[in-house]
Amino acid sequence: MSGYWIGLITILSINVIFAYGIFLAVATGQLNLGGAGFQALGAYAAAYLAMEMDQPLFVTIASGMIVAGVIGFAISFPILRLKGVYLVLGTFAFAEVVAGLILNSDALGGATGLPVPTFIDWDVPAIAAVIVAVGVFWLMSTRFGLVVRSVHDDEVVADLMGVNVRMVRVCAFALGAALAGLSGALYAHAYSFVEIQVFNASLSIYVLLYVLLGGAQTAWGPLFGAAFFTLLPEALRDTLPALKEAVFGALGIEGAATPPDESWRFVILGVATVLMMIFRPEGLITRTMVERLRPLNRAPRAARAEAAE
Amino acid sequence: MTQPLLKVDDLSKSFGGLAVISEVSFEVPAGGRLALIGPNGAGKTTMFNLLTGVYRQDVGTVTLDGEVIDAYPSRARIGLGMARSFQNIRLMPHLSVVENVMLGQQSRARGWRDFVAPVSAFGRSAAYREAEDLLASMNIETRPGDVVATLPYGIRKKIEVVRALAAKPKLLLLDEPAAGLNAVETASLRDFLLQISETGVTLLVVEHDMSLVRSLCTSTVVLNFGRKIYDGPVSKVHEDPQVLEAYLGPRHAGEKEAAHV
């Protein structure tokens, strides 16, 4: 495989894991705009253990996940007292605090960052992404997943049905933080270098967009969202010059087809985002859409029993 | 005399300076069908919210099946055998019919094993089959995968009751089950509720539709401005002067009484 595809699969895998991390919080109705903070915690935990303590790969990656998960668990108690836009701001502020602390820490390299000695190829993130995706699908099909989705829909009724709403939210948030940490640890090893500037506010916004525009009702949403928004800019990299040439050709302009500016890719990405907000506000993949694609579930019970005989 | 299933003792609740429930006491016998009626704003839904723990009373006690339940948080009360439906349908819109009913089983889930056992994958779990069977036994023919938001109003009303039934309650609190239903749907709902009552579940119903109250319930408690003004058989409620006054106003109540004489 060429270096380009290796790079693409690596970042796609990391983004899928990252998106699932945010998805677990969003699925309970909690918008988490602190994704970059949790990813940075995982990345720096892994980088520090690998660089300063020579720990093997599985220790550093597991630690990245645990550090982010434990901190996510600890801050979820105060932060999940916030609701709506205040929760968004609270998680956002958390990510800023993490970035600020790391930036001012000499042990973690400050603004210069930390090199990571152990390198991983595309296969580790890819396998991890598959395991995480299968795990989240499984989790969403359990009673825990059922309860997560019901807390999202109506917390008062969920409570009256016997759901411990707070426990469900804390678990989903902490588990999501751990997954974001895992994606950070994988990032650290795949790129052999971490610097805090990478884990910035726009990263948090992007990963939340993956989830919201992919759809937060089913586990398919973040998968499609992450894939779509990771691959679209890459697809545009090839098709945009061709598109410009075609437009210029149609207009009869000769020889002026210089490759378009890089920023045009992001203009198109922005337009796609706005269009999706208008036409698919509940995300690309909705629950109703998934059900429609499962013909077995569309038949009444009696008919299914007959069909089984 | 057997002890009542639900015993409400001297219950009071005020919001700010406004007394919404004042010193209300009543009993629901086990297996009974009691209607809680009253004009709008009489405190009927507040009474439900006090019973289920959404609000805490200022004074008074609630006893369910011999146990004082005041100290239990709202989420624990369903496990004691008290489930409810809501005035406006509050099914989970993004869950399927069966998943909504499975949510009703939540209070019976014990330990982490119950939480990590798949319930909705491939439709083969015990919880899934139990929910499907309950729906079938209540004659609700839907497709298991149907998302609730796409179903007709009358069906959703019934599904909400089935969701509460999935908790296997002793006492079912129904908040205006017939609101928004037409005559045919109401009749079907009455048969449906009588069917539930026959299985031994006690019903406490808030309802405005008096024909449904008369054909469904045996006794009634009338609230007005948070006070109990009548407690007795349904058949006598329209003869009570205080009830007539509450519903029709003092002048018309007088006319009605005069007409009766």
Side-chain angles (χ1 to χ4, degrees):
Chain A
M1 247 191 307
S2 73
Y4 174 73
W5 283 104
I6 288 173
L8 198 56
I9 290 174
T10 306
I11 194 65
L12 177 61
S13 306
I14 290 169
N15 281 346
V16 165
I17 297 170
F18 195 11
Y20 274 126
I22 302 306
F23 164 75
L24 286 179
V26 174
T28 64
Q30 316 296 299
L31 290 184
N32 182 353
L33 194 57
F38 292 111
Q39 199 179 38
L41 285 172
Y44 271 85
Y48 187 80
L49 286 172
M51 182 66 194
E52 308 287 336
M53 297 179 161
D54 282 328
Q55 294 295 319
L57 192 63
F58 73 92
V59 173
T60 61
I61 290 181
S63 307
M65 197 167 164
I66 290 165
V67 165
V70 167
I71 293 179
F73 179 76
I75 72 148
S76 69
F77 287 94
I79 218 164
L80 293 182
R81 297 186 76 90
L82 303 173
K83 288 203 189 312
V85 70
Y86 299 100
L87 177 70
V88 176
L89 289 175
T91 52
F92 179 78
F94 165 76
E96 292 301 305
V97 168
V98 169
L101 288 177
I102 291 173
L103 194 61
N104 289 299
S105 155
D106 290 334
L108 295 175
T112 49
L114 271 184
V116 185
T118 353
F119 172 73
I120 52 171
D121 209 350
W122 63 276
D123 50 350
V124 180
I127 291 167
V130 171
I131 293 172
V132 167
V134 170
V136 172
F137 268 97
W138 165 76
L139 197 63
M140 292 308 281
S141 78
T142 62
R143 182 162 283 281
F144 179 78
L146 179 73
V147 164
V148 160
R149 287 180 284 145
S150 60
V151 167
H152 171 272
D153 278 2
D154 191 332
E155 59 179 288
V156 175
V157 174
D159 173 74
L160 287 171
M161 288 294 142
V163 176
N164 188 334
V165 173
R166 164 156 270 229
M167 188 201 79
V168 169
R169 287 204 167 134
V170 166
C171 284
F173 191 87
L175 210 54
L179 288 184
L182 171 65
S183 73
L186 293 168
Y187 177 94
H189 286 289
Y191 290 88
S192 304
F193 193 77
V194 288
E195 53 176 340
I196 192 63
Q197 290 87 344
V198 172
F199 306 102
N200 54 25
S202 65
L203 184 67
S204 295
I205 294 170
Y206 265 114
V207 72
L208 190 56
L209 274 185
Y210 297 162
V211 176
L212 292 181
L213 298 180
Q217 294 170 8
T218 76
W220 290 105
L223 193 63
F224 274 80
F228 184 77
F229 282 98
T230 309
L231 299 178
L232 181 67
E234 297 307 319
L236 288 175
R237 195 197 295 275
D238 290 335
T239 53
L240 210 55
L243 191 70
K244 187 174 177 183
E245 248 174 70
V247 171
F248 273 42
L251 294 174
I253 303 168
E254 295 283 329
T258 54
D261 195 275
E262 275 286 285
S263 57
W264 275 100
R265 291 197 288 143
F266 296 99
V267 172
I268 293 178
L269 190 66
V271 171
T273 307
V274 171
L275 288 178
M276 275 176 69
M277 283 179 189
I278 294 170
F279 293 108
R280 302 285 299 180
E282 296 203 300
L284 202 58
I285 314 287
T286 60
R287 180 67 206 272
T288 348
M289 182 173 157
V290 172
E291 291 300 340
R292 210 171 289 145
L293 295 172
R294 279 157 69 171
L296 193 65
N297 270 356
R298 296 299 298 169
R301 192 168 184 238
R304 278 192 302 149
E306 273 170 37
E309 276 161 17
Chain B
M1 176 81 193
T2 54
Q3 69 170 2
L5 180 66
L6 179 77
K7 193 162 179 289
V8 174
D9 256 329
D10 194 26
L11 211 61
S12 292
K13 172 73 183 175
S14 51
F15 293 116
L18 183 69
V20 189
I21 296 285
S22 313
E23 298 155 11
V24 174
S25 304
F26 65 92
E27 292 180 357
V28 187
R33 299 190 295 272
L34 186 124
L36 186 61
I37 62 175
N40 284 325
K44 306 180 296 290
T45 297
T46 305
M47 176 58 77
F48 268 23
N49 283 335
L50 289 173
L51 294 179
T52 51
V54 176
Y55 304 143
R56 288 304 167 94
Q57 66 265 36
D58 303 330
V59 196
T61 53
V62 179
T63 314
L64 182 71
D65 210 8
E67 190 177 3
V68 176
I69 63 169
D70 299 335
Y72 287 94
S74 49
R75 71 164 182 277
R77 295 193 182 189
I78 189 169
L80 302 171
M82 183 167 66
R84 75 177 279 189
S85 73
F86 298 86
Q87 192 170 349
N88 313 307
I89 297 177
R90 288 178 82 167
L91 291 166
M92 306 303 183
H94 294 115
L95 299 190
S96 71
V97 174
V98 176
E99 283 170 336
N100 266 288
V101 176
M102 285 196 292
L103 179 64
Q105 306 163 349
Q106 178 65 28
S107 60
R108 292 188 284 124
R110 293 281 176 273
W112 62 273
R113 267 171 210 281
D114 279 354
F115 275 87
V116 294
V119 289
S120 53
F122 319 116
R124 289 197 193 91
S125 71
Y128 194 99
R129 262 190 253 129
E130 189 194 309
E132 265 194 331
D133 289 344
L134 184 61
L135 282 164
S137 73
M138 289 294 148
N139 300 315
I140 296 178
E141 196 55 44
T142 56
R143 294 178 257 253
D146 273 337
V147 176
V148 163
T150 59
L151 293 171
Y153 190 79
I155 305 252
R156 279 189 279 156
K157 277 264 176 191
K158 284 187 180 175
I159 292 169
E160 204 185 34
V161 177
V162 174
R163 177 176 69 179
L165 276 183
K168 296 200 192 298
K170 298 172 212 157
L171 174 67
L172 193 55
L173 308 176
L174 303 168
D175 199 347
E176 298 200 22
L181 300 186
N182 62 33
V184 177
E185 285 172 323
T186 304
S188 147
L189 182 82
R190 185 194 52 232
D191 296 343
F192 175 73
L193 295 178
L194 285 172
Q195 187 193 344
I196 292 168
S197 176
E198 274 161 23
T199 64
V201 177
T202 306
L203 300 182
L204 175 58
V205 188
V206 163
E207 187 51 66
H208 278 299
D209 184 338
M210 280 310 289
S211 68
L212 177 67
V213 168
R214 272 193 289 273
S215 56
L216 177 68
C217 297
T218 48
S219 55
T220 182
V221 166
V222 185
L223 295 181
N224 192 29
F225 293 116
R227 293 185 175 276
K228 186 175 85 173
I229 56 171
Y230 178 85
D231 187 350
V234 174
S235 50
K236 297 274 195 301
V237 68
H238 63 280
E239 294 166 12
D240 186 90
Q242 266 189 294
V243 174
L244 291 174
E245 187 177 324
Y247 272 96
L248 303 172
R251 195 167 63 86
H252 289 91
E255 281 169 18
K256 183 104 191 263
E257 249 181 304
H260 267 276
V261 176

